[in-house]
Amino acid sequence: MITFARRRWLNGFITLLAGAGLLAWYTAYDVALYQPAFLTGWLLLAVILVLTLYNGRKKLSMVPVGTAAAWLQWHIYSGFLAILIFALHIEWSLPNGVLERLLALFFVAVAGSGLVGIYLSRRYARMLTRRTEEVVLERIPQFIADLRTQAETLVLESAVETGSSTIADFYGNRLANYFAAPRNLRLHLQGSRRASFALMTDLNIMTRYLNDQEMVYAEKLRALVERKDRLDYAHALQTTLKAWLFVHLPATYGLLLLALLHLILVYSFGGAG
Amino acid sequence: MVEAVTIQRPQRWDTPFCEDMGAVDVERILALDPFREMDRDRFPDSMSLAGIISNDMRVVDCQDGDIVMREGDYGNSAFLVLKGQVRVILQPGLPESVLGRAPSQKKGLLQALAQLWRNPSFPEVRGAYSAEANEAMSSRAGTDQQARVFLQDVPAVLDEHQTATLTSGDMFGEIAALGRTQRTASVISDGPSELLEIRWQGLRDIRRRVDDFREHVDRLYRERSLASHLRATPMFQNLDEAAIARIADETLFETYGDFDWHTQYQRERGESFNLRLAGEPVIVAEGDYPDGLLLVRAGFARVSQSVNNGHRTIRYIGRGAVFGMAEIVHNWSDGAVKTGPGGGDDNALGDDPTKTLQATLRALGYVDILRVPTAVIEELVLPTLSGEALDQYGQLDERQDSAEAAGADETGANRLIDPGMLEFLVEHRYINGTATMLMDLDRCVRCDDCVVACARAHDGNPRFNRHGRRHDHYMVANACMHCMDPVCMIGCPTGAIHRSSAGGQVVINDTTCIGCATCANSCPYDNIRMVEIRDNSGAFIRDTVTNAPIVKASKCDLCLDQPGGPACQRACPHDALKRVDMQDLADLEKWLNR
């Protein structure tokens, strides 16, 4: 079984080799006064179509056409090659037509979101493992609702049993909104714990006004806040792990449509053929 | 609102082993040995001997050359010869082609693809529960039971292979039936014969209640499995039949732990590690004199070394493994080594002082041990081994210092399984799995592609949960592990849960499952779920008497019918999921240390 490091080196080396060959071929073609833009264009379209097939492979999990992991490796390294082909195709400069610029923008969106996707997949998976319990994203709202119910029950009970409204007031002012839905998405993505730290600080300050009986309720409330924080964290990271695909996939389809239009225009008015 | 379908709740013996077992057959069998001698009062009314014969047995008429059972198949039944004779093909067995093994029934490419749009829109749909489908189900079962492969040229086969003859009154196949293991030999009918086939549930019930029968079966179990086990042991490969027979005579049989180990495990899994360790029977202890070579015939054992006040697991061993060979080789006299075929010149082990056992061996649940005395090994086995083999078998479990014991070797040169991971796998008995679903959470992006792929391959119903116990960044998901010792099969009253003949996977026959949940309750890993089934319109199928929903056991079948194998593993884009055979420690180690 090949290690990840070895696989990275091997795939990277093959990609570099292919890239170098491509550059050499492009230079020779250019020197010979051919128009390499037509060939790089067709090559780029072919690579993009192959890259798009990966999504189809994911849907056809029941058909034995190689593992999704092997396809993803192809997808990633072919993607790197596609960036090089794209740069050669636009001759390392910004296209001048409106459609061409739009097309370039879509390509950048697809390639950029893909690179972001690789980074998130590697980084957030580890972060999730280190800080949270395993929870399915779609179930998080239900878990939060359960926590909210527990918190509200606890607060009401504390008010009845202790005859004091300190905890209930704190809940109403500071925690009701917090327990209402997933919170602090941006801060969790940044790896910041500022929001939960501030909440805990306020909770600690509030405890100055509690007696021993109320302290028991406050500690239970603190535990619920901590669990909510972990759920928010999982929600933020898991949502982002899925959300980047909502850029990558639509941009890919947009890119394909624009590329088709570009192709028609080139062959109609660009002197090709 | 669709109307619920009602059917009568399935019961044990609803689907007898054979529809044709009439009262006359039962009376005839009751008059034969060994049933004639059995005390019928020992059987309760609900489980009478006649009932067992009627429902768990069938008479099989074989023609000359019929293959009664095939080596390598997973057996769920034993046979008693009523008339005629059968031949047991001794090693080497019949080739696969002669045995008529057909490829497993996998879906074709188009059938697999059609799952994209043909899967029902409701969960757990069993469209077969219409009146017509019930008729089809019973007749299908009947025809399957009679299917039989036969040999074209029996005399040629008998000429080319050594055989043993079994005649009227002899029993065979009970080893695989009771041990939930593969058949160790093929058996063919020699001329026309009449056999009584007893499915293992019936065998178990009789064995439980009749002492003589139990002793008889146990004697056969021990006698017949021993020689083949010894022959399959690598270090005995160079021995002739006389030596094997001599070893068989000298071998001691030992059993540790409880056959139904899973119930004790489930009861005690909440206890502390030390308490549970103390409950594991010690087979041999570290520091003992190695008085014999231990061969694991069934079950699992923990190999551990003491570390201050505790014990550190260094590996686990299962069926077919040996323990104590290194110490025996080490202690063998230097002069004797030099008489071996390999010359032993490069073997300097004899210069060291006598070694006691370097590790403790404990039974993990139930373990069958064969103990071959050291003197026999020294006399018969060691002289046949080459110097290289002696070096290989003489590798001692050297003690590691506490620094090494505390963590994994970080050099990367000789990386092993992290001790914590090893403890985790042993502790939770995941070592039982042949297809344990291991997930690397550092690579898992929680996309659930594995779950979706599983659902697509199973009529829209995922057969596992992406949830389970964790150690560090690894998780063992709640998916059937297709255990080496599938305790879920122990209590199944109808034999619905069984080993697939294709690859030994543990699968459930949905049509004969009565929803008793015995398997789900027995599974120590909580990997079998009971599901309420629906008809094609989405309505729950209900019991005609109680109106309660009909339930069926449901679990991973390792995508037995899918063309590409386990969909979950193939669908993971990030190499985060693998179905691991826990007996293949080298493969596990490579995967963990990628």
Side-chain angles (χ1 to χ4, degrees), chain A:
Chain A
M1 186 180 295
I2 190 166
T3 63
F4 289 132
R6 186 179 290 249
R7 187 174 74 179
R8 234 178 345 261
W9 277 108
L10 189 68
N11 289 350
F13 178 71
I14 292 169
T15 309
L16 275 178
L17 215 60
L22 195 68
L23 271 175
W25 168 79
Y26 180 85
T27 309
Y29 212 76
D30 200 24
V31 167
L33 299 178
Y34 290 113
Q35 283 186 290
F38 285 100
L39 279 174
T40 51
W42 275 109
L43 188 60
L44 184 57
L45 185 64
V47 171
I48 289 172
L49 285 172
V50 169
L51 286 167
T52 314
L53 286 179
Y54 171 62
N55 194 39
R57 159 64 186 87
K58 287 182 78 174
K59 299 277 184 293
L60 300 177
S61 56
M62 70 294 291
V63 182
V65 284
T67 63
W71 275 75
L72 181 61
Q73 290 301 304
W74 272 101
H75 188 77
I76 290 171
Y77 289 95
S78 301
F80 286 135
L81 267 185
I83 294 172
L84 175 67
I85 301 168
F86 174 74
L88 291 175
H89 186 62
I90 62 171
E91 296 175 339
W92 306 93
S93 60
L94 197 66
N96 45 17
V98 175
L99 176 69
E100 282 68 30
R101 283 193 176 177
L102 194 61
L103 191 56
L105 190 69
F106 267 82
F107 185 88
V108 169
V110 173
S113 59
L115 291 170
V116 168
I118 296 172
Y119 172 78
L120 293 178
S121 299
R122 296 290 173 262
R123 180 168 164 74
Y124 281 6
R126 282 191 171 86
M127 287 167 66
L128 276 168
T129 307
R130 298 292 175 273
R131 228 188 104 182
T132 64
E133 55 197 271
E134 281 308 308
V135 54
V136 177
L137 176 65
E138 289 74 16
R139 290 189 186 168
I140 290 177
Q142 182 56 48
F143 289 136
I144 290 178
D146 291 345
L147 281 183
R148 185 169 61 245
T149 306
Q150 287 179 47
E152 286 171 357
T153 308
L154 191 73
V155 167
L156 286 174
E157 190 183 314
S158 81
V160 172
E161 294 295 322
T162 65
S164 163
S165 66
T166 311
I167 292 176
D169 292 341
F170 180 78
Y171 183 85
N173 295 331
R174 198 71 176 83
L175 293 180
N177 189 43
Y178 178 70
F179 276 106
R183 299 288 179 212
N184 306 319
L185 184 135
R186 186 176 53 80
L187 289 172
H188 282 308
L189 292 182
Q190 291 170 350
S192 166
R193 306 190 73 167
R194 186 156 54 86
S196 59
F197 182 76
L199 207 53
M200 287 301 176
T201 305
D202 289 350
L203 212 150
N204 285 338
I205 291 169
M206 188 254 310
T207 56
R208 293 174 189 169
Y209 315 111
L210 305 181
N211 61 23
D212 289 348
Q213 194 184 3
E214 287 173 286
M215 276 300 289
V216 175
Y217 288 103
E219 286 308 313
K220 287 180 181 172
L221 195 57
R222 184 196 302 276
L224 293 177
V225 170
E226 284 170 352
R227 281 179 62 193
K228 170 68 168 46
D229 186 55
R230 286 198 294 273
L231 283 176
D232 284 349
Y233 183 76
H235 183 265
L237 268 62
Q238 288 198 45
T239 301
T240 311
L241 274 171
K242 284 192 165 71
W244 71 269
L245 282 168
F246 287 97
V247 176
H248 193 64
L249 290 180
T252 301
Y253 294 122
L255 176 68
L256 280 174
L257 284 175
L258 287 173
L260 192 66
L261 188 59
H262 171 70
L263 192 70
I264 292 168
L265 291 175
V266 166
Y267 273 84
S268 303
F269 307 107

Side-chain angles (χ1 to χ4, degrees), chain B residues 140-202:
Chain B
R140 189 167 63 242
T143 51
D144 283 349
Q145 286 163 3
Q146 296 305 317
R148 207 161 281 287
V149 179
F150 64 94
L151 298 180
Q152 297 277 6
D153 190 356
V154 180
V157 170
L158 296 182
D159 278 349
E160 289 170 13
H161 294 84
Q162 284 192 313
T163 61
T165 304
L166 300 177
T167 55
S168 178
D170 286 337
M171 182 177 277
F172 59 94
E174 72 292 335
I175 297 166
L178 288 170
R180 307 187 289 275
T181 57
Q182 286 176 297
R183 304 283 194 196
T184 54
S186 299
V187 176
I188 61 168
S189 181
D190 186 11
S193 64
E194 188 182 39
L195 309 172
L196 182 69
E197 186 174 4
I198 311 167
R199 64 177 171 185
W200 79 272
Q201 287 83 1

Side-chain angles (χ1 to χ4, degrees), chain B residues 264-436:
Chain B
Q264 187 188 3
Y265 165 73
Q266 284 171 320
R267 200 170 51 243
E268 294 178 354
R269 63 182 168 186
E271 302 286 348
S272 72
F273 170 72
N274 284 335
L275 270 179
R276 277 177 288 137
L277 190 74
E280 292 174 5
V282 174
I283 300 167
V284 284
E286 186 180 347
D288 283 357
Y289 175 74
D291 62 351
L293 177 69
L294 307 183
L295 287 77
V296 181
R297 198 175 65 160
F300 298 97
R302 181 201 298 266
V303 181
S304 65
Q305 288 180 326
S306 59
V307 177
N308 294 323
N309 294 320
H311 276 265
R312 184 173 63 87
T313 304
I314 55 174
R315 66 177 185 279
Y316 54 85
I317 56 177
R319 190 166 63 215
V322 297
F323 183 82
M325 185 66 171
E327 289 83 352
I328 293 172
V329 170
H330 189 281
N331 296 340
W332 197 32
S333 70
D334 200 27
V337 171
K338 285 177 178 167
T339 62
D345 293 339
D346 55 347
N347 191 318
L349 297 172
D351 296 335
D352 292 346
T354 301
K355 285 277 185 190
T356 54
L357 289 172
Q358 300 296 293
T360 298
L361 190 68
R362 286 185 166 81
L364 287 169
Y366 164 82
V367 183
D368 255 357
I369 293 284
L370 304 172
R371 190 186 295 257
V372 185
T374 301
V376 175
I377 297 292
E378 287 177 342
E379 181 192 339
L380 297 176
V381 181
L382 297 186
T384 67
L385 298 177
S386 66
E388 282 176 10
L390 286 170
D391 283 345
Q392 181 195 335
Y393 294 131
Q395 297 290 324
L396 289 164
D397 288 315
E398 294 294 355
R399 298 194 60 79
Q400 296 178 22
D401 61 29
S402 55
E404 281 178 312
D409 177 7
E410 297 293 337
T411 63
N414 185 27
R415 290 182 298 184
L416 297 170
I417 297 174
D418 163 58
M421 184 69 180
L422 200 59
E423 296 285 4
F424 168 75
L425 295 174
V426 172
E427 213 36 46
H428 298 292
R429 304 294 190 266
Y430 293 133
I431 56 174
N432 197 1
T434 62
T436 305

